[in-house]
């Protein structure tokens, strides 16, 4: 790694950035430094042309199969979100070099939207280097959901409880794995999600259902056989790390195995949270209520998580066009049209 890169990452860590954010920055900059080294580009002297070559390399890069699901190697480049994330890390790094007086300009331009509402705002406008694509996340239908639960029944009490909490309380992976024994209020069936474990650094209290409470009781009995220490709720069951708090990667591997056995490659740790928020929308919750439940700062973020399936839209369309269709039949009858 370049010395300035390590220094910038250390500064971000000292400023209290989330651990996963630091890991994402490091992964992105390792990739960028490797590209510059391979192409003999001095990282501190890179130009926009060099950055454009880096974007091209990511676009043409092969995506290798991961252990989560058996994805065949594809000629499609890195995902749009991955490319944008890596460019963000590179841009922030060059901002640091400008502040330190090492560079005079940033080769990674910051795009600005030119919508009608903002067209009259002063200042230059430009497009981002890589456009953003909004893709609807996958959620299982009813048959797929029951199939997932059928496969998950063979799992350990810990894994079954984690799946239930992930959906029931709409928890992110980091939030779920960071639950401590003191965060639970079994009497009121509440979970206190601490601010330091959340993406937006916002604490919240979320409820869980009676079935989840029953799974919790069964798991606590098993946990006492592993460790009697307070602290992390979810601990390892392996001989090597018996009683040690699990990591987010442990939960990811559990879901990867579940996805493989269920033959649902799109299943991920975030699927349960997304399905929960979508179900709340279907149940008639107001948007601000769902945002509060999910811990979103901005309601626009909540909208990204909520979408209705094609079946829901078809049902809505049928109800909406019922009156319209009846009126057209009347028009046809009076005007002499025959079906």
């Amino acid at each position: 790694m370049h010395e300035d890169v390590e220094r910038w990452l250390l500064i971000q860590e000292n400023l209290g950035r989330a651990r996963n954010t630091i890991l994402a920055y490091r992964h992105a900059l390792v990739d960028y430094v490797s590209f510059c080294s391979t192409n003999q580009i001095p990282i501190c002297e890179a130009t926009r042309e060099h950055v454009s070559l880096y974007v091209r390399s990511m676009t043409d890069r092969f995506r290798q199969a991961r252990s989560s699901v058996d994805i065949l190697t594809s000629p499609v480049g890195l995902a749009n979100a991955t490319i944008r994330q890596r460019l963000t890390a590179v841009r922030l790094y060059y901002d640091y070099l400008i502040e330190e007086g090492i560079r005079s300009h940033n080769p990674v331009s910051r795009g600005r939207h030119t919508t009608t509402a903002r067209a009259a705002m002063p200042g230059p406008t430009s497009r981002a280097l890589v456009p953003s694509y909004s893709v609807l996340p996958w959620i299982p239908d009813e048959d797929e959901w029951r199939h997932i639960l059928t496969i998950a029944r063979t799992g350990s009490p810990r894994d079954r409880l984690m799946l239930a909490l992930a959906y029931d309380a709409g928890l992110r992976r980091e939030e779920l794995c960071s639950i401590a024994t003191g965060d639970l209020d079994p009497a009121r069936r509440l979970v206190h999600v601490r601010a330091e474990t959340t993406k937006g650094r916002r604490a919240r209290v979320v409820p869980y259902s009676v079935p989840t409470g029953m799974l919790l009781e069964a798991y606590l009995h098993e946990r006492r056989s592993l460790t009697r220490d307070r602290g992390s709720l979810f601990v390892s069951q392996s001989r090597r790390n018996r009683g040690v708090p699990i990591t987010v990667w442990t939960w990811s591997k559990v879901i990867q195995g579940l996805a493989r056995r269920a033959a649902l490659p799109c299943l991920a740790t975030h699927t349960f949270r997304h399905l929960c928020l979508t179900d709340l929308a279907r149940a008639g919750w107001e948007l601000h209520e769902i945002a509060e439940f999910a811990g979103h700062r901005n309601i626009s973020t909540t909208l990204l998580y909520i979408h209705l399936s094609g079946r829901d839209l078809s049902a809505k369309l049928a109800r909406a066009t019922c009156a319209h269709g009846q009126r057209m039949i009347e028009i046809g009858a009076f005007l002499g049209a025959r079906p």
Side-chain angles (χ1 to χ4, degrees):
M1 285 287 285
H2 197 274
E3 181 180 353
D4 290 328
V5 173
E6 290 288 1
R7 187 180 299 111
W8 180 74
L9 289 172
L10 180 60
I11 291 174
Q12 302 309 305
E13 185 175 356
N14 292 338
L15 290 174
R17 301 289 186 267
R19 179 175 178 271
N20 287 345
T21 300
I22 300 298
L23 290 176
Y25 285 165
R26 176 174 291 277
H27 187 69
L29 290 173
V30 164
D31 184 69
Y32 180 64
V33 170
S34 175
F35 168 81
C36 290
S37 176
T38 301
N39 293 275
Q40 298 181 347
I41 301 172
I43 188 171
C44 293
E45 302 175 11
T47 64
R48 292 189 178 183
E49 181 182 1
H50 295 143
V51 172
S52 68
L53 291 174
Y54 177 56
V55 173
R56 178 63 181 269
S57 73
M58 290 190 289
T59 304
D60 295 340
R61 192 174 305 175
F62 285 78
R63 286 189 292 180
Q64 301 298 325
R66 294 182 177 272
S67 58
S68 57
V69 286
D70 298 327
I71 304 175
L72 298 178
T73 302
S74 169
V76 180
L78 296 179
N80 174 263
T82 301
I83 295 176
R84 290 171 59 85
Q85 181 190 62
R86 294 188 179 181
L87 283 178
T88 297
V90 174
R91 175 174 54 78
L92 293 174
Y93 165 68
Y94 279 122
D95 282 343
Y96 162 74
L97 294 184
I98 294 173
E99 293 173 357
E100 294 295 311
I102 300 176
R103 286 185 63 102
S104 60
H105 67 282
N106 196 324
V108 185
S109 60
R110 182 191 298 269
R112 299 183 181 180
H113 296 288
T114 56
T115 58
T116 304
R118 299 181 59 185
M121 295 181 63
T125 59
S126 61
R127 293 184 58 187
L129 289 180
V130 177
S132 175
Y133 299 101
S134 297
V135 181
L136 287 178
W138 175 84
I139 59 173
D141 59 26
E142 295 303 317
D143 292 336
E144 291 169 334
W145 176 243
R146 293 190 182 94
H147 182 53
I148 291 171
L149 295 181
T150 300
I151 301 298
R153 286 182 63 182
T154 60
S156 65
R158 184 200 69 188
D159 295 344
R160 282 181 282 159
L161 173 61
M162 293 184 72
L163 188 153
L165 273 176
Y167 169 79
D168 204 1
L171 299 177
R172 300 181 180 94
R173 181 180 63 169
E174 185 79 23
E175 297 169 350
L176 177 65
C177 296
S178 300
I179 295 177
T181 53
D183 296 333
L184 297 173
D185 184 355
R188 298 179 178 85
R189 295 201 303 273
L190 298 174
V191 179
H192 176 228
V193 185
R194 286 169 284 125
E196 61 270 21
T197 68
T198 66
K199 184 177 180 180
R201 294 297 185 264
R202 298 185 67 194
R204 67 186 191 278
V205 178
V206 291
Y208 60 86
S209 62
V210 173
T212 300
M214 297 171 63
L215 291 171
L216 173 62
E217 183 179 356
Y219 169 66
L220 289 178
H221 179 74
E222 178 189 74
R223 186 183 184 278
R224 282 192 291 269
S225 66
L226 299 173
T227 179
R228 292 184 177 273
D229 296 338
R230 296 183 63 82
S232 179
L233 175 63
F234 300 112
V235 296
S236 174
Q237 303 163 329
S238 67
R239 294 181 179 179
R240 181 178 179 182
N241 299 313
R242 186 180 179 86
V244 175
I246 67 169
T247 65
V248 293
W249 310 117
T250 302
W251 177 232
S252 293
K253 290 179 181 178
V254 170
I255 298 304
Q256 288 166 10
L258 180 60
R260 190 181 304 110
R261 295 194 301 274
L264 294 172
C266 294
L267 180 64
T269 57
H270 213 64
T271 300
F272 306 107
R273 172 177 167 86
H274 185 80
L275 180 61
C276 171
L277 301 185
T278 303
D279 284 345
L280 294 181
R282 289 168 172 168
W285 280 40
E286 297 293 336
L287 192 59
H288 71 275
E289 295 174 335
I290 300 176
E292 185 69 23
F293 181 88
H296 292 154
R297 289 182 178 273
N298 196 324
I299 291 182
S300 62
T301 305
T302 310
L303 291 173
L304 299 177
Y305 284 79
I306 299 173
H307 66 275
L308 301 177
S309 67
R311 182 178 55 194
D312 296 322
L313 292 176
S314 297
K316 281 182 174 290
L317 182 61
R319 290 194 297 269
T321 57
C322 181
H324 175 76
Q326 180 62 34
R327 208 172 290 276
M328 289 306 300
I329 293 176
E330 294 173 353
I331 291 176
F334 276 99
L335 298 183
R338 294 182 178 180

